[in-house]
Amino acid sequence: METDDTLGFVFPGQGSQSLGMLAELAEHHPAVRATFDEASTALALDLWRIVQEGPEQELNRTEITQPALLTAGVAVWRAWVAAGGPRPAAMAGHSLGEYTALVCSGALAFADAVTLVHDRGRFMQEAVPAGEGAMAAILGLDDEAVTAVCADAAQGEVVEAVNFNAPGQVVIAGNRAAVDRAIEGAREAGAKKAVPLPVSVPSHCALMRPAAERMGERLAGVALETPAIPVLHNVDAAASDSADGIRERLVAQLYRPVRWVEVIRAMQARGVGRIVEAGPGKVLAGLNRRIDRRMPVSAVLDPDSLDKALEQ
């Protein structure tokens, strides 16, 4: 497999799932169904049936969503490899997608990752009872303004900027009442939009520390190798070449922000000039265009988009 030193691969996180995802790709590329079958065996449930037939509320349960999206990303990567696609110079994933990147880089066995993220979803859900946490997207304010709004709105509770997704696009998370206060504060500060997100878990904020502790114990028993392709981590936009370094970053990732803008800039600093998003949806492709309009980005999720990305 040849390496393209100008190519980066990125993998999406929660929110990119949809019923019927990758159905068309599966018809043309046997690797897709084979990957889902492998995941189903690891989880002892029919993941492909849930992804294709639902019900939607089942797919949207975080302990199902996480393995479903990880499997989808790995399936697209395997289809890319089987079709003769080049090896990228670097990989990254948004939140959960970091686990997908670690599987595709050879650092983490796929079957281990599937059960790991199933538990990750459960730990996250159990850390904050349903209804007590919230997340919201703030558009049109710079990072410093959003951080200041959160500091004013906290009032002894937790509300933090948790996803620095693109310039002027930041997600906040924390206790529901504090997030509501921050939404009002953001509107008063001149945000173009401040909208609650339909999620059941306040990811990447201090409320996730109990989940992080449980994840640390869980990761201690999982084998990790040095990635064959560098993976840039969410918490510091840096690559780690040690198992302990990867574990530390995966634990910290649960309660620290996703620094997506810095991750993409770090890829560019390594010489990456084109990015492929592997998995359902086009969320990261949209964010990456906002980060740097000049950098080509392809979302690979069906046979046509795979063929086009391979041609480029």
Side-chain angles (χ1 to χ4, degrees):
M1 190 179 187
E2 288 181 20
T3 299
D4 180 344
D5 291 331
T6 67
L7 179 64
F9 252 69
V10 296
F11 300 92
Q14 280 185 254
S16 289
Q17 72 275 12
S18 61
L19 281 183
M21 63 186 184
L22 303 192
E24 205 184 338
L25 193 68
E27 286 176 20
H28 293 76
H29 294 275
V32 175
R33 274 305 297 273
T35 304
F36 272 89
D37 289 348
E38 207 180 317
S40 295
T41 301
L43 292 171
L45 59 81
D46 190 341
L47 195 60
W48 182 251
R49 184 193 60 73
I50 295 170
V51 162
Q52 297 306 311
E53 299 172 22
E56 198 159 17
Q57 64 261 35
E58 177 76 358
L59 177 59
N60 289 340
R61 278 174 50 215
T62 189
E63 70 269 30
I64 298 295
T65 309
Q66 295 201 26
L69 282 171
L70 174 115
T71 303
V74 172
V76 172
W77 166 250
R78 288 178 175 177
W80 172 270
V81 172
R87 179 199 302 258
M91 288 181 163
H94 192 287
S95 188
L96 161 82
E98 192 164 291
Y99 287 81
T100 319
L102 288 166
V103 171
C104 298
S105 73
L108 178 59
F110 176 53
D112 286 344
V114 169
T115 57
L116 199 54
V117 302
H118 180 262
D119 287 344
R120 180 179 182 265
R122 192 164 51 81
F123 297 160
M124 290 169 73
Q125 192 66 71
E126 290 170 2
V128 180
E132 290 188 15
M135 299 182 78
I138 312 296
L139 306 183
L141 291 181
D142 63 31
D143 296 353
E144 293 75 18
V146 176
T147 303
V149 162
C150 288
D152 288 344
Q155 296 176 24
E157 291 187 305
V158 171
V159 58
E160 299 165 3
V162 296
N163 292 358
F164 295 97
N165 282 335
Q169 185 169 336
V170 179
V171 172
I172 63 172
N175 295 109
R176 181 170 294 280
V179 170
D180 287 344
R181 289 192 294 270
I183 288 172
E184 287 310 309
R187 288 172 181 157
E188 287 166 14
K192 287 180 191 164
K193 259 189 182 174
V195 291
L197 297 176
V199 296
S200 59
V201 172
S203 303
H204 304 293
C205 73
L207 298 177
M208 286 292 114
R209 276 187 180 270
E213 285 170 22
R214 293 173 75 186
M215 203 65 195
E217 291 166 12
R218 181 72 173 73
L219 279 160
V222 174
L224 285 162
E225 307 289 335
T226 302
I229 301 163
V231 174
L232 303 185
H233 292 275
N234 289 185
V235 295
D236 58 4
S240 175
D241 56 7
S242 77
D244 285 345
I246 293 169
R247 281 191 188 93
E248 284 166 18
R249 286 166 171 84
L250 289 177
V251 171
Q253 188 224 58
L254 273 170
Y255 63 87
R256 283 174 53 189
V258 174
R259 301 190 171 280
W260 193 249
V261 176
E262 290 173 45
V263 167
I264 298 304
R265 299 275 187 234
M267 274 199 177
Q268 291 178 305
R270 287 170 169 262
V272 168
R274 180 169 77 87
I275 284 180
V276 167
E277 176 180 3
K282 303 176 180 179
V283 172
L284 299 183
L287 295 181
N288 292 356
R289 287 190 187 100
R290 292 180 66 127
I291 293 167
D292 188 343
R293 285 205 167 280
R294 298 162 302 175
M295 185 162 63
V297 55
S298 314
V300 173
L301 50 121
D302 58 27
D304 285 351
S305 56
L306 175 58
D307 291 345
K308 278 181 190 158
L310 287 165
E311 280 167 23
Q312 289 172 345

